[in-house]
Structures are given as C-alpha cells and as structure tokens.
Amino acid sequence: MIRRNRILRNTPAIRAMVAETILTPNDFIAPLFITEGKGVKEEISSMPGYFRHSLDGTVQEVKELWAMGIKSVLLFIKCADELKDNKGTEALNPDGLMQRAIKAVKDAVPGMVVMTDVALDPFSSYGHDGIVEGEEIVNDATVEVLAQMSVSHAQAGADIIAPSDMMDGRILAIREALEENNFTKTGIMAYSAKYASCFYGPFRDALDSAPGFGDKKTYQMDFANAREALRETLMDVDEGADIVMVKPAMAYLDIIRLIKDSVTLPVSAYHVSGEYAMIKAAAKMGWINEEKAIIESLTSIKRAGADLIATYFAKDAVRLLNQ
Ligand code: PBG
C-alpha cells in the first residue's frame, strides 16, 4: 500500500488537525419565541427544553447568548387570538409585541444581529402565511402587507428581515419598500427554498399557528424538487436578498450543497423544530446520545455548505464546543 488513510485518523490531535469542517459560535442563529406578559416562561410541549419567554426573559436570554459568542437571534412572536385577523393588522402595529421585542433586544444588546420573521401566520385567524380569499392564499395582496411589515420591523430597529412566507415577488417588494423608506442598512435573509415539510409541527405548537384549513403546499415547495429550489433562490438573489436560506436542513443537505455551489451570497440553513424534537425524543428514550447527535447534525449541515445555521441547539452547541 502506498496510502493508508487511517494514518490521519490515528489520534484526536491528528483528527483535529485535518478536520475540514469546524463549528464556531459565529455559525449560529438562535430562534426565540416571545409571548406577552412578565416573568412568563412556558415550555413548548413538543420541544422539551425550549421555551416561550416574555420580553423580560427574552432580554435575559439574549444577554446570555451574546456572552456565549452567539451573534444573531431570529425573533418569532406568539400573537394573542383576539388580535388575529385576515389582514395582518397586528403585524403592522408599531407597538405590537414583535416591534417591542426588537426594541428591547436592541436596547439591551446593541451589537446583536436581530433578525425578524416576516409572514402572516402567527397573526392570521386562518394560520396561513398570507391573506385568505375563499380557499386561496392570495399572493399580491399578501406581498403588500409583508413589505409594510418589513418596514415596520426596520423602524423598530431590526437588522435583517427574514421573510418565511414563500409568496412570489416578495423579496423585490420588500427591498423596494426598505429603499423608499430610507432603510438602506437593513438586510434581507430570504427563505428561498422553503419546503412544505412535516418537520414544522412543533414550531406551530410554539406559536399556535397551525393552518386552520388545508396545508401550505400552494406556496411552500414540494420536497420532490431540487431544480425548483435553485430557480427560487436565483430569483431571490436577483430581487435583492442578502442571504438565502434552505429549510429544513437535514433532509435537504443536497439542496444546501446545490445552492452553495450556485450562488455567491451566504447560504443559511434552518435546522427546524421537528429536527430538534426528533433528537430530543430519541435521546429521552435512551436511543441516541443527545450531545453527539447535536454536534454531528450541525457539522453535517455546515459541511453541506451552510454558512449560517438557525438552530434551537445554538446554546447547547456552543456549550459543547467549549468543553
Ligand atoms: C412561518 C414559519 C414556520 C417556520 C418558520 N417560520 C412554519 C411554517 O411555515 O409553517 C418553521 C420553523 C421550525 O419548524 O422550526 N412562516
């Protein structure tokens, strides 16, 4: 033999020296679920160890994340039922929970990169990402509201708008609205290849945002398709996105790689709620080692090409990397 591949695997030191993929705290975006009230901390039943916090707890959490070296949070709010409608009224409220949360987080930790979810589902009486007419999720009227919502988030101090709705043309509309309102420093992280996935189930528990009728297959992508993901992503690049995203992550590593090789923008991947729940559940049963599963999963997502990973394991991962 002229080559023995095991030489480079012999000891922990040599393995560390030749490791191609190294996770760092800079890789992670920590999603946060925010609810009204004071001192509220509610565990999400299908996401053990993950919580909805009121604003005070959210600020504490953000300080902790920052101290650990995590640079970005992605905010989601749980909207009260009585404020939901079919127009996204509450999404545009300058004193809405999202807008207050953005301000509170930026005031507490100005350096933290605050990303905000833009879609109507948490605010929708139908639990859909857009305005509903009959059985249809209407595109263009929704895009108008999403653009206004983005401006409202920018006004509150958001650094990066993250539209997760999958309407056509929304990136251009948001970019134009930001420009018109002079928000020339606000970025857009486009959920470009977002699939209609069963892995969002626990998230919909967290925000009480499950669709009231039907599913999201007329706007989110069919998981059978890869070329379509590229088309969606290239359009978002042309429309002015700063970062493009693939979602979910682990069942879509091929898509992450395809997009990484096809665009020059940073690529993010969303390791979603169901992926978190699967690891938690198997670990609870004693069937896998949770800590090892976390690091292996996140490393595989980065190896596939993700420059950024939104993950509910952000804190755990940093803690494990520091050990
Ligand atoms: C809503 C939104 C969803 C997620 C992020 N933004 C759910 C959905 O599209 O139904 C899912 C995140 C997760 O499962 O962790 N537009």
Side-chain angles (χ1 to χ4, degrees):
M1 276 188 258
I2 59 160
R3 182 169 315 284
R4 290 182 179 273
N5 290 329
R6 291 181 56 186
I7 290 169
L8 296 182
R9 296 180 203 136
N10 256 329
T11 66
I14 193 87
R15 290 196 294 273
M17 287 168 65
V18 301
E20 295 173 36
T21 309
I22 296 161
L23 292 171
T24 85
N26 297 334
D27 300 330
F28 303 127
I29 301 167
L32 298 176
F33 298 129
I34 304 165
T35 191
E36 287 287 3
K38 235 186 154 183
V40 182
K41 182 181 182 188
E42 298 163 338
E43 190 167 29
I44 296 138
S45 57
S46 48
M47 299 179 72
Y50 221 79
F51 299 86
R52 276 187 299 262
H53 288 279
S54 47
L55 281 185
D56 47 348
T58 300
V59 163
Q60 269 320 106
E61 190 68 22
V62 171
K63 286 182 180 165
E64 254 179 68
L65 292 164
W66 185 252
M68 297 176 83
I70 293 170
K71 308 288 190 303
S72 178
V73 290
L74 177 55
L75 307 185
F76 296 94
I77 64 110
K78 180 170 187 287
C79 180
D81 271 343
E82 59 274 19
L83 296 174
K84 295 184 183 183
D85 62 18
N86 189 28
K87 295 186 295 196
T89 308
E90 182 59 15
L92 304 180
N93 178 359
D95 294 315
L97 182 55
M98 176 61 97
Q99 286 80 356
R100 279 179 283 134
I102 297 166
K103 286 189 194 111
V105 171
K106 285 306 280 186
D107 283 350
V109 188
M112 184 62 93
V113 177
V114 172
M115 302 185 170
T116 58
D117 187 61
V118 166
L120 293 186
D121 48 329
F123 306 95
S124 160
S125 35
Y126 293 102
H128 274 290
D129 291 34
I131 293 168
V132 175
E133 277 172 22
E135 296 277 284
E136 193 186 336
I137 319 308
V138 295
N139 195 85
D140 299 9
T142 300
V143 168
E144 275 178 43
V145 181
L146 298 175
Q148 292 171 32
M149 191 176 170
S150 303
V151 170
S152 167
H153 291 185
Q155 242 145 19
D159 297 295
I160 296 186
I161 305 302
S164 66
D165 54 284
M166 290 301 280
M167 298 298 124
D168 289 329
R170 89 272 208 223
I171 301 303
L172 180 61
I174 290 171
R175 179 58 80 198
E176 284 178 347
L178 291 173
E179 286 286 323
E180 274 163 25
N181 289 276
N182 249 318
F183 290 110
T184 52
K185 293 184 203 154
T186 312
I188 303 174
M189 178 170 75
Y191 287 63
S192 299
K194 176 169 177 178
Y195 287 86
S197 168
C198 72
F199 294 111
Y200 308 149
F203 172 96
R204 294 173 186 171
D205 289 342
L207 298 190
D208 181 27
S209 62
F213 69 87
D215 52 39
K216 298 194 175 183
K217 290 182 182 170
T218 67
Y219 43 109
Q220 298 178 349
M221 283 181 43
D222 182 346
F223 50 74
N225 298 349
R227 283 154 46 86
E228 186 185 3
L230 189 52
R231 182 162 74 241
E232 283 280 5
T233 305
L234 293 175
M235 285 180 72
D236 286 352
V237 173
D238 285 345
E239 290 180 28
D242 298 287
I243 301 173
V244 292
M245 185 194 268
V246 175
K247 176 181 178 191
M250 285 195 73
Y252 299 85
L253 296 179
D254 57 328
I255 309 298
I256 297 173
R257 173 48 57 190
L258 172 67
I259 284 172
K260 181 58 172 262
D261 290 342
S262 312
V263 307
T264 55
L265 292 179
V267 177
S268 65
Y270 200 140
H271 189 233
V272 300
S273 57
E275 302 180 83
Y276 173 90
M278 286 195 294
I279 291 178
K280 283 286 179 184
K284 188 174 173 203
M285 294 300 286
W287 293 340
I288 59 166
N289 177 308
E290 178 172 341
E291 297 186 340
K292 290 180 176 166
I294 292 170
I295 296 299
E296 184 175 336
S297 299
L298 297 176
T299 304
S300 73
I301 295 165
K302 184 167 183 182
R303 190 195 63 228
D307 300 291
L308 292 166
I309 307 170
T311 174
Y312 304 97
F313 286 122
K315 238 169 142 177
D316 299 282
V318 173
R319 191 173 39 79
L320 294 168
L321 295 173
N322 289 335
Q323 274 172 13

